[in-house]
């Protein structure tokens, strides 16, 4: 369905997971199971940390924030996709698509910043345990969490405004099960507009890569400190604290950066779908199990 420009677009068509009603219902049941597992797991973490005063420490404060972000991000994408599969439709309104892109960008950007803060928390806990209370007091933790949420908000405003302020004239079909920036960019009329948003995406990815380098350097210092510990109990405590975070970071960063930085020549609907599921659907459901 071709459209002359973005002003005449009233809705977008999302990618359907399957052609037949039976497979659509299978997709609905599968996503519903994952969604309920994510709600239950993250809900339990949030409730437990909020109710147990012994868990009111920096590590658990950041973990509570991560669970809130995971709940938000999976609730932004999955319910719409499940509804479309259940009712055998592909529609999402123009405003709904813009809102979905903004919320997803906001929560995704915040989560990346928060994972960086959590790496710093691990580093201080293991490398400078005597100064832990000084470096990570309650005020410092609140400020760091607020900075993570604030950076995610600014990131989302920039990308959403830049993406939807451009005319779109390459149809209204999005080759993804949610409104993702690279797939909306393919609908852009102007090559210069396309390049401007691509430049903004590359800048965001470079900042993300800087955070990734910080996380890696933090873990190099952590592992050096752990290797100097002589007791097996000390080793176990250090690795059980850090490995869950490292596993979450690795999955989230590798799939997310691949989705936004891969070359168009290696792009295909199936590959894009698999990568999106890996960084959109899997982490919110798996994070509670890992932690």
């Amino acid at each position: 369905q071709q459209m002359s420009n973005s002003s005449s677009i009233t809705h977008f068509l999302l990618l359907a997971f399957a052609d037949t009603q039976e497979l659509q219902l299978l997709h609905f049941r599968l996503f519903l199971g994952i969604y309920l597992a994510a709600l239950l797991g993250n809900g339990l973490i949030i409730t437990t940390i909020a109710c147990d005063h012994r868990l009111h420490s920096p590590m658990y404060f950041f973990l509570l924030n991560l669970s809130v972000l995971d709940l938000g991000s999976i609730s932004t994408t999955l319910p719409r996709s499940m509804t479309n599969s259940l009712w055998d439709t592909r529609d999402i309104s123009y405003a709904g698509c813009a809102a979905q892109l903004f919320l997803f960008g906001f929560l995704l950007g915040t989560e990346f910043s928060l994972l960086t803060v959590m790496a710093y928390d691990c580093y201080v806990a293991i490398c400078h345990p005597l100064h832990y209370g000084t470096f990570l007091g309650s005020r410092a933790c609140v400020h760091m969490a607020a900075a993570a949420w604030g950076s995610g908000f600014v990131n989302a405003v920039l990308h959403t405004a830049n993406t939807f302020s451009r005319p779109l004239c390459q149809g209204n079909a999005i080759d993804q099960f949610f409104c993702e920036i690279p797939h909306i960019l393919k609908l852009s009329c102007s090559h210069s507009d396309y390049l401007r948003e691509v430049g903004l995406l590359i800048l965001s990815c470079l900042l993300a890569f800087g955070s990734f380098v910080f996380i890696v350097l933090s873990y190099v210092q952590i592992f050096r400190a752990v290797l100097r510990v002589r007791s097996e109990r000390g080793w176990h405590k250090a690795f059980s604290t850090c490995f869950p975070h490292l596993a979450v970071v690795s999955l989230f960063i590798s799939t997310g950066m691949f989705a936004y930085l891969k070359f168009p020549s290696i792009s295909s609907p199936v590959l894009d779908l698999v990568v999106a599921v890996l960084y959109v659907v899997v982490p919110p459901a798996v994070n509670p199990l890992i932690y």
Side-chain angles (χ1 to χ4, degrees):
Q1 184 180 354
Q2 293 297 316
M3 300 285 181
S4 58
N5 56 49
S6 58
S7 63
S8 64
I9 293 178
T10 58
H11 67 281
F12 292 97
L13 299 175
L14 297 174
L15 181 70
F17 269 82
D19 298 327
T20 65
Q21 182 67 22
E22 291 79 11
L23 289 175
Q24 289 275 44
L25 291 174
L26 178 64
H27 155 247
F28 168 78
R29 287 192 288 268
L30 178 64
F31 266 25
L32 180 63
I34 294 171
Y35 185 54
L36 291 176
L39 289 181
L40 178 64
N42 288 292
L44 281 173
I45 287 179
I46 292 167
T47 306
T48 305
I49 293 172
C51 294
D52 192 340
H53 66 89
R54 292 170 300 176
L55 301 180
H56 292 177
S57 66
M59 183 178 80
Y60 289 106
F61 170 71
F62 294 133
L63 181 57
L64 183 143
N65 275 265
L66 183 67
S67 291
V68 170
L69 287 167
D70 281 338
L71 272 183
S73 65
I74 200 167
S75 297
T76 301
T77 54
L78 250 59
R80 184 76 216 184
S81 180
M82 289 189 298
T83 303
N84 284 0
S85 288
L86 188 62
W87 300 113
D88 195 20
T89 180
R90 295 171 58 194
D91 283 11
I92 183 170
S93 68
Y94 186 90
C97 187
Q100 190 181 64
L101 188 145
F102 170 78
L103 285 171
F104 185 69
F106 170 41
L107 296 164
L108 204 70
T110 304
E111 183 156 339
F112 198 93
S113 299
L114 189 70
L115 289 171
T116 308
V117 170
M118 291 173 79
Y120 175 71
D121 173 59
C122 273
Y123 164 74
V124 175
I126 289 172
C127 298
H128 302 284
L130 297 179
H131 299 101
Y132 188 74
T134 307
F135 291 158
L136 286 154
S138 58
R139 181 173 292 183
C141 289
V142 170
H143 286 168
M144 284 190 280
W149 285 89
S151 65
F153 180 79
V154 171
N155 175 70
V157 168
L158 284 174
H159 285 295
T160 307
N162 201 46
T163 301
F164 283 96
S165 63
R166 312 299 171 196
L168 308 173
C169 58
Q170 304 294 321
N172 66 341
I174 299 172
D175 291 330
Q176 189 55 276
F177 70 93
F178 67 102
C179 290
E180 190 181 37
I181 293 174
H183 292 281
I184 295 175
L185 285 182
K186 291 178 183 177
L187 309 179
S188 176
C189 300
S190 167
H191 189 62
S192 61
D193 291 338
Y194 175 87
L195 289 177
R196 191 180 295 113
E197 177 57 26
V198 167
L200 198 55
L201 278 175
I202 290 172
L203 177 62
S204 295
C205 286
L206 286 174
L207 291 172
F209 183 72
S211 295
F212 178 65
V213 169
F214 175 82
I215 292 170
V216 169
L217 291 176
S218 297
Y219 274 97
V220 168
Q221 295 299 318
I222 287 167
F223 291 138
R224 285 177 63 184
V226 168
L227 291 173
R228 290 198 292 268
V229 175
R230 302 206 177 271
S231 73
E232 188 176 328
R233 186 162 176 252
W235 273 48
H236 176 74
K237 184 178 180 182
F239 282 124
S240 65
T241 301
C242 295
F243 267 129
H245 179 254
L246 195 55
V248 169
V249 167
S250 301
L251 176 66
F252 183 72
I253 291 176
S254 58
T255 53
M257 291 189 76
F258 181 80
Y260 286 90
L261 289 181
K262 67 181 181 300
F263 293 108
S265 57
I266 60 169
S267 181
S268 72
V270 174
L271 180 63
D272 290 348
L273 196 63
V274 170
V275 170
V277 168
L278 284 176
Y279 87 93
V280 175
V281 179
V282 173
V286 171
N287 285 359
L289 292 175
I290 292 174
Y291 280 107

